[in-house]
Amino acid sequence: IMLPEESVVISSNCEFSVIDNARFIIPANSALVLRSASFSASNLIFEKVRSDSNIENNNFFVLENGTVNLNDCEIIGLFSDNGTGFACQNSVLNLANTGITIQSDYYSCGISSVDSKINLKDCRASSIAQTSVNFSVSEGSFELLNCQCKVVADLGRIAELLRTKATIVSNNFIGELDRKIKGAEPIWIDDISLMLENFNNMSEGF
């Protein structure tokens, strides 16, 4: 299913569930905007195509006071310059057994959130660009359980957490980095954040 050449605003609760993997194609200058509503999907592929021109929306999903639940889904976003998979504001994002791949030329981010609740379990995240981060979380809460996370970049991190309550358990972090900074860690967290649990995580390449 090809969506229109403009942002699609969802303002009513909706749910998609299919037996075989269906595919939603989001044009380069479009985005899925969830506004004060809930959106649930299972067994779906969401793909955003790369722009052949200078016209591009740098977001894939935009959550504004909304709730998204995805199970057994794939998110594949290809951008020309900068790209973000989920841009969340005062929202809830629950992902289970779902993959997020965001690739762009300069900057890529899987999930960016402000004052939101971000929960991932049994998921896969890949960010590919000159500068890459899987998760950029400011305020709210962040839970990452049994996930495979990877950044391919010149400079990259798995997560950057500011003023956040975080639970990070049983994950595998991989960095394929052209530049490595001495002492850098896959997870950066500020002094105001609270790490509730952080154990059984493995990392390589940082």
Side-chain angles (χ1 to χ4, degrees):
I1 300 174
M2 175 69 77
L3 296 185
E5 295 277 346
E6 58 185 12
S7 292
V8 176
V9 178
I10 300 172
S11 56
S12 298
N13 297 343
C14 61
E15 180 176 354
F16 293 91
S17 182
V18 296
I19 297 176
D20 296 323
N21 287 333
R23 185 183 299 264
F24 282 90
I25 307 296
I26 292 89
N29 59 342
S30 180
L32 286 172
V33 180
L34 183 72
R35 189 169 293 156
S36 300
S38 66
F39 178 90
S40 299
S42 300
N43 302 310
L44 283 174
I45 299 172
F46 298 88
E47 182 176 350
K48 187 175 174 77
V49 298
R50 183 182 174 99
S51 174
D52 293 328
S53 66
N54 293 326
I55 301 175
E56 184 174 64
N57 189 319
N58 291 332
N59 292 317
F60 197 147
F61 287 82
V62 178
L63 281 62
E64 301 171 353
N65 302 298
T67 298
V68 167
N69 300 292
L70 299 182
N71 185 49
D72 291 311
C73 292
E74 290 293 330
I75 312 299
I76 305 167
L78 304 178
F79 298 84
S80 297
D81 295 326
N82 306 309
T84 298
F86 292 86
C88 309
Q89 175 75 43
N90 193 30
S91 296
V92 177
L93 177 61
N94 297 313
L95 304 181
N97 195 32
T98 289
I100 307 172
T101 301
I102 305 298
Q103 180 173 346
S104 61
D105 290 343
Y106 301 110
Y107 176 78
S108 68
C109 177
I111 298 172
S112 175
S113 70
V114 177
D115 195 21
S116 299
K117 295 180 180 179
I118 309 299
N119 305 300
L120 295 92
K121 183 177 181 181
D122 301 323
C123 291
R124 306 164 309 282
S126 297
S127 298
I128 306 161
Q130 287 185 10
T131 301
S132 295
V133 62
N134 290 148
F135 314 106
S136 178
V137 181
S138 178
E139 302 179 334
S141 64
F142 176 66
E143 186 175 80
L144 190 69
L145 305 177
N146 195 37
C147 293
Q148 306 293 318
C149 304
K150 182 177 182 179
V151 289
V152 179
D154 185 11
L155 293 171
R157 281 195 180 104
I158 297 300
E160 298 175 342
L161 309 177
L162 294 86
R163 301 182 298 279
T164 300
K165 294 180 180 179
T167 299
I168 301 175
V169 176
S170 300
N171 303 287
N172 189 25
F173 305 138
I174 298 175
E176 295 185 4
L177 306 175
D178 293 334
R179 294 170 56 192
K180 295 183 181 180
I181 300 175
K182 186 177 180 179
E185 298 288 340
I187 307 290
W188 181 88
I189 183 168
D190 70 353
D191 294 335
I192 304 176
S193 294
L194 178 61
M195 185 68 77
L196 300 176
E197 292 183 283
N198 180 23
F199 62 88
N200 199 32
N201 299 299
M202 301 181 62
S203 68
E204 61 177 281
F206 293 94

PDB file of all heavy atoms in Angstrom, residues 100-119:
ATOM      1  N   ILE A 100      13.995  -2.069  13.679  1.00  0.00           N
ATOM      2  CA  ILE A 100      14.057  -0.682  13.211  1.00  0.00           C
ATOM      3  C   ILE A 100      15.393  -0.484  12.512  1.00  0.00           C
ATOM      4  O   ILE A 100      16.451  -0.647  13.136  1.00  0.00           O
ATOM      5  CB  ILE A 100      13.965   0.321  14.367  1.00  0.00           C
ATOM      6  CG1 ILE A 100      12.754   0.071  15.246  1.00  0.00           C
ATOM      7  CG2 ILE A 100      13.930   1.752  13.832  1.00  0.00           C
ATOM      8  CD1 ILE A 100      12.749   0.938  16.496  1.00  0.00           C
ATOM      9  N   THR A 101      15.351  -0.151  11.236  1.00  0.00           N
ATOM     10  CA  THR A 101      16.559   0.151  10.481  1.00  0.00           C
ATOM     11  C   THR A 101      16.410   1.535   9.864  1.00  0.00           C
ATOM     12  O   THR A 101      15.496   1.772   9.073  1.00  0.00           O
ATOM     13  CB  THR A 101      16.798  -0.883   9.373  1.00  0.00           C
ATOM     14  OG1 THR A 101      16.917  -2.186   9.948  1.00  0.00           O
ATOM     15  CG2 THR A 101      18.068  -0.555   8.597  1.00  0.00           C
ATOM     16  N   ILE A 102      17.303   2.455  10.252  1.00  0.00           N
ATOM     17  CA  ILE A 102      17.279   3.816   9.731  1.00  0.00           C
ATOM     18  C   ILE A 102      18.634   4.112   9.093  1.00  0.00           C
ATOM     19  O   ILE A 102      19.669   3.995   9.752  1.00  0.00           O
ATOM     20  CB  ILE A 102      16.983   4.848  10.842  1.00  0.00           C
ATOM     21  CG1 ILE A 102      15.680   4.497  11.560  1.00  0.00           C
ATOM     22  CG2 ILE A 102      16.916   6.259  10.252  1.00  0.00           C
ATOM     23  CD1 ILE A 102      14.448   4.517  10.679  1.00  0.00           C
ATOM     24  N   GLN A 103      18.616   4.485   7.820  1.00  0.00           N
ATOM     25  CA  GLN A 103      19.851   4.771   7.100  1.00  0.00           C
ATOM     26  C   GLN A 103      19.750   6.118   6.403  1.00  0.00           C
ATOM     27  O   GLN A 103      18.742   6.429   5.761  1.00  0.00           O
ATOM     28  CB  GLN A 103      20.138   3.665   6.071  1.00  0.00           C
ATOM     29  CG  GLN A 103      21.414   3.890   5.281  1.00  0.00           C
ATOM     30  CD  GLN A 103      21.755   2.702   4.387  1.00  0.00           C
ATOM     31  OE1 GLN A 103      21.193   1.621   4.531  1.00  0.00           O
ATOM     32  NE2 GLN A 103      22.690   2.898   3.472  1.00  0.00           N
ATOM     33  N   SER A 104      20.788   6.916   6.548  1.00  0.00           N
ATOM     34  CA  SER A 104      20.848   8.211   5.866  1.00  0.00           C
ATOM     35  C   SER A 104      22.303   8.570   5.616  1.00  0.00           C
ATOM     36  O   SER A 104      23.212   7.847   6.044  1.00  0.00           O
ATOM     37  CB  SER A 104      20.157   9.294   6.698  1.00  0.00           C
ATOM     38  OG  SER A 104      20.804   9.435   7.947  1.00  0.00           O
ATOM     39  N   ASP A 105      22.535   9.686   4.943  1.00  0.00           N
ATOM     40  CA  ASP A 105      23.903  10.064   4.618  1.00  0.00           C
ATOM     41  C   ASP A 105      24.629  10.697   5.802  1.00  0.00           C
ATOM     42  O   ASP A 105      25.805  10.405   6.041  1.00  0.00           O
ATOM     43  CB  ASP A 105      23.913  11.034   3.435  1.00  0.00           C
ATOM     44  CG  ASP A 105      23.522  10.358   2.134  1.00  0.00           C
ATOM     45  OD1 ASP A 105      23.566   9.110   2.078  1.00  0.00           O
ATOM     46  OD2 ASP A 105      23.155  11.062   1.181  1.00  0.00           O
ATOM     47  N   TYR A 106      23.930  11.559   6.563  1.00  0.00           N
ATOM     48  CA  TYR A 106      24.616  12.358   7.570  1.00  0.00           C
ATOM     49  C   TYR A 106      24.253  11.994   9.010  1.00  0.00           C
ATOM     50  O   TYR A 106      25.131  11.832   9.844  1.00  0.00           O
ATOM     51  CB  TYR A 106      24.339  13.846   7.310  1.00  0.00           C
ATOM     52  CG  TYR A 106      24.794  14.290   5.944  1.00  0.00           C
ATOM     53  CD1 TYR A 106      23.884  14.624   4.949  1.00  0.00           C
ATOM     54  CD2 TYR A 106      26.159  14.339   5.633  1.00  0.00           C
ATOM     55  CE1 TYR A 106      24.315  15.007   3.692  1.00  0.00           C
ATOM     56  CE2 TYR A 106      26.589  14.717   4.374  1.00  0.00           C
ATOM     57  CZ  TYR A 106      25.659  15.054   3.404  1.00  0.00           C
ATOM     58  OH  TYR A 106      26.075  15.417   2.151  1.00  0.00           O
ATOM     59  N   TYR A 107      22.972  11.878   9.328  1.00  0.00           N
ATOM     60  CA  TYR A 107      22.554  11.598  10.707  1.00  0.00           C
ATOM     61  C   TYR A 107      21.363  10.656  10.699  1.00  0.00           C
ATOM     62  O   TYR A 107      20.395  10.860   9.944  1.00  0.00           O
ATOM     63  CB  TYR A 107      22.182  12.890  11.432  1.00  0.00           C
ATOM     64  CG  TYR A 107      21.637  12.664  12.835  1.00  0.00           C
ATOM     65  CD1 TYR A 107      22.491  12.387  13.898  1.00  0.00           C
ATOM     66  CD2 TYR A 107      20.264  12.694  13.080  1.00  0.00           C
ATOM     67  CE1 TYR A 107      22.008  12.157  15.176  1.00  0.00           C
ATOM     68  CE2 TYR A 107      19.764  12.467  14.355  1.00  0.00           C
ATOM     69  CZ  TYR A 107      20.642  12.207  15.395  1.00  0.00           C
ATOM     70  OH  TYR A 107      20.153  11.974  16.655  1.00  0.00           O
ATOM     71  N   SER A 108      21.438   9.630  11.538  1.00  0.00           N
ATOM     72  CA  SER A 108      20.310   8.707  11.662  1.00  0.00           C
ATOM     73  C   SER A 108      20.032   8.430  13.127  1.00  0.00           C
ATOM     74  O   SER A 108      20.961   8.309  13.940  1.00  0.00           O
ATOM     75  CB  SER A 108      20.578   7.398  10.916  1.00  0.00           C
ATOM     76  OG  SER A 108      21.610   6.665  11.545  1.00  0.00           O
ATOM     77  N   CYS A 109      18.741   8.319  13.459  1.00  0.00           N
ATOM     78  CA  CYS A 109      18.308   8.047  14.824  1.00  0.00           C
ATOM     79  C   CYS A 109      17.092   7.130  14.762  1.00  0.00           C
ATOM     80  O   CYS A 109      16.127   7.410  14.038  1.00  0.00           O
ATOM     81  CB  CYS A 109      17.951   9.350  15.545  1.00  0.00           C
ATOM     82  SG  CYS A 109      17.319   9.124  17.221  1.00  0.00           S
ATOM     83  N   GLY A 110      17.144   6.043  15.520  1.00  0.00           N
ATOM     84  CA  GLY A 110      16.004   5.125  15.518  1.00  0.00           C
ATOM     85  C   GLY A 110      14.801   5.712  16.235  1.00  0.00           C
ATOM     86  O   GLY A 110      13.705   5.793  15.684  1.00  0.00           O
ATOM     87  N   ILE A 111      14.998   6.142  17.485  1.00  0.00           N
ATOM     88  CA  ILE A 111      13.915   6.710  18.292  1.00  0.00           C
ATOM     89  C   ILE A 111      14.433   7.955  18.994  1.00  0.00           C
ATOM     90  O   ILE A 111      15.450   7.909  19.691  1.00  0.00           O
ATOM     91  CB  ILE A 111      13.398   5.704  19.336  1.00  0.00           C
ATOM     92  CG1 ILE A 111      12.821   4.461  18.656  1.00  0.00           C
ATOM     93  CG2 ILE A 111      12.350   6.345  20.236  1.00  0.00           C
ATOM     94  CD1 ILE A 111      12.455   3.341  19.624  1.00  0.00           C
ATOM     95  N   SER A 112      13.725   9.059  18.817  1.00  0.00           N
ATOM     96  CA  SER A 112      14.002  10.297  19.534  1.00  0.00           C
ATOM     97  C   SER A 112      12.760  10.648  20.338  1.00  0.00           C
ATOM     98  O   SER A 112      11.652  10.674  19.798  1.00  0.00           O
ATOM     99  CB  SER A 112      14.340  11.426  18.550  1.00  0.00           C
ATOM    100  OG  SER A 112      14.490  12.657  19.224  1.00  0.00           O
ATOM    101  N   SER A 113      12.929  10.907  21.639  1.00  0.00           N
ATOM    102  CA  SER A 113      11.743  11.139  22.456  1.00  0.00           C
ATOM    103  C   SER A 113      11.975  12.227  23.492  1.00  0.00           C
ATOM    104  O   SER A 113      13.095  12.430  23.969  1.00  0.00           O
ATOM    105  CB  SER A 113      11.313   9.852  23.168  1.00  0.00           C
ATOM    106  OG  SER A 113      12.239   9.506  24.176  1.00  0.00           O
ATOM    107  N   VAL A 114      10.877  12.924  23.805  1.00  0.00           N
ATOM    108  CA  VAL A 114      10.859  13.937  24.864  1.00  0.00           C
ATOM    109  C   VAL A 114       9.639  13.675  25.734  1.00  0.00           C
ATOM    110  O   VAL A 114       8.520  13.563  25.219  1.00  0.00           O
ATOM    111  CB  VAL A 114      10.802  15.373  24.285  1.00  0.00           C
ATOM    112  CG1 VAL A 114      10.704  16.396  25.417  1.00  0.00           C
ATOM    113  CG2 VAL A 114      12.019  15.648  23.413  1.00  0.00           C
ATOM    114  N   ASP A 115       9.865  13.535  27.028  1.00  0.00           N
ATOM    115  CA  ASP A 115       8.780  13.355  27.997  1.00  0.00           C
ATOM    116  C   ASP A 115       7.854  12.209  27.574  1.00  0.00           C
ATOM    117  O   ASP A 115       6.630  12.343  27.552  1.00  0.00           O
ATOM    118  CB  ASP A 115       7.992  14.654  28.160  1.00  0.00           C
ATOM    119  CG  ASP A 115       7.104  14.644  29.395  1.00  0.00           C
ATOM    120  OD1 ASP A 115       7.372  13.849  30.315  1.00  0.00           O
ATOM    121  OD2 ASP A 115       6.123  15.412  29.430  1.00  0.00           O
ATOM    122  N   SER A 116       8.436  11.062  27.245  1.00  0.00           N
ATOM    123  CA  SER A 116       7.684   9.919  26.746  1.00  0.00           C
ATOM    124  C   SER A 116       8.106   8.636  27.453  1.00  0.00           C
ATOM    125  O   SER A 116       9.114   8.609  28.166  1.00  0.00           O
ATOM    126  CB  SER A 116       7.871   9.765  25.234  1.00  0.00           C
ATOM    127  OG  SER A 116       7.403  10.903  24.533  1.00  0.00           O
ATOM    128  N   LYS A 117       7.329   7.574  27.234  1.00  0.00           N
ATOM    129  CA  LYS A 117       7.652   6.253  27.759  1.00  0.00           C
ATOM    130  C   LYS A 117       8.012   5.356  26.575  1.00  0.00           C
ATOM    131  O   LYS A 117       7.165   5.093  25.718  1.00  0.00           O
ATOM    132  CB  LYS A 117       6.470   5.669  28.531  1.00  0.00           C
ATOM    133  CG  LYS A 117       6.100   6.449  29.790  1.00  0.00           C
ATOM    134  CD  LYS A 117       4.912   5.814  30.507  1.00  0.00           C
ATOM    135  CE  LYS A 117       4.551   6.584  31.760  1.00  0.00           C
ATOM    136  NZ  LYS A 117       3.378   5.982  32.468  1.00  0.00           N
ATOM    137  N   ILE A 118       9.257   4.891  26.554  1.00  0.00           N
ATOM    138  CA  ILE A 118       9.757   4.096  25.447  1.00  0.00           C
ATOM    139  C   ILE A 118      10.106   2.700  25.978  1.00  0.00           C
ATOM    140  O   ILE A 118      10.944   2.559  26.877  1.00  0.00           O
ATOM    141  CB  ILE A 118      11.017   4.734  24.816  1.00  0.00           C
ATOM    142  CG1 ILE A 118      10.771   6.215  24.491  1.00  0.00           C
ATOM    143  CG2 ILE A 118      11.449   3.957  23.598  1.00  0.00           C
ATOM    144  CD1 ILE A 118       9.657   6.459  23.500  1.00  0.00           C
ATOM    145  N   ASN A 119       9.469   1.677  25.408  1.00  0.00           N
ATOM    146  CA  ASN A 119       9.664   0.305  25.871  1.00  0.00           C
ATOM    147  C   ASN A 119       9.942  -0.611  24.678  1.00  0.00           C
ATOM    148  O   ASN A 119       9.129  -0.680  23.756  1.00  0.00           O
ATOM    149  CB  ASN A 119       8.424  -0.197  26.611  1.00  0.00           C
ATOM    150  CG  ASN A 119       8.015   0.715  27.754  1.00  0.00           C
ATOM    151  OD1 ASN A 119       8.781   0.942  28.676  1.00  0.00           O
ATOM    152  ND2 ASN A 119       6.799   1.241  27.693  1.00  0.00           N
TER     153      ASN A 119
END
